[in-house]
Amino acid sequence: MSRKCEICGKGQVSGNAVSHSNRHTRRKWNANIQTVRVAEENGTVRRANVCTRCIRSNKVNRAI
């Protein structure tokens, strides 16, 4: 499954995990991507990888 939202393009970002002793190691934050059924404008239904923020803000028309 892709780690990128098909609506807004939100994806994985990287940075440092900083321990108590201030050691830095690389880590990543994944976007909360869900596979949902999307109703297209022409009436067809397909599956899409969408972040939960786009689902919550009704940027995607979910199929029943």
Side-chain angles (χ1 to χ4, degrees):
M1 181 172 77
S2 174
R3 291 277 184 192
K4 185 163 284 210
C5 176
E6 294 181 17
I7 306 300
C8 67
K10 181 186 285 188
Q12 177 177 289
V13 294
S14 62
N16 287 314
V18 182
S19 69
H20 181 68
S21 62
N22 209 29
R23 290 174 60 101
H24 290 60
T25 55
R26 299 299 286 179
R27 62 157 293 180
K28 59 189 173 185
W29 287 268
N30 290 321
N32 191 357
I33 304 294
Q34 305 294 321
T35 302
V36 295
R37 294 176 71 230
V38 174
E40 296 283 315
E41 293 180 5
N42 57 6
T44 61
V45 175
R46 70 176 183 93
R47 292 189 186 273
N49 296 320
V50 182
C51 69
T52 52
R53 177 150 313 191
C54 289
I55 295 171
R56 188 176 64 187
S57 61
N58 290 323
K59 290 184 179 177
V60 60
N61 188 12
R62 294 190 69 174
I64 298 173

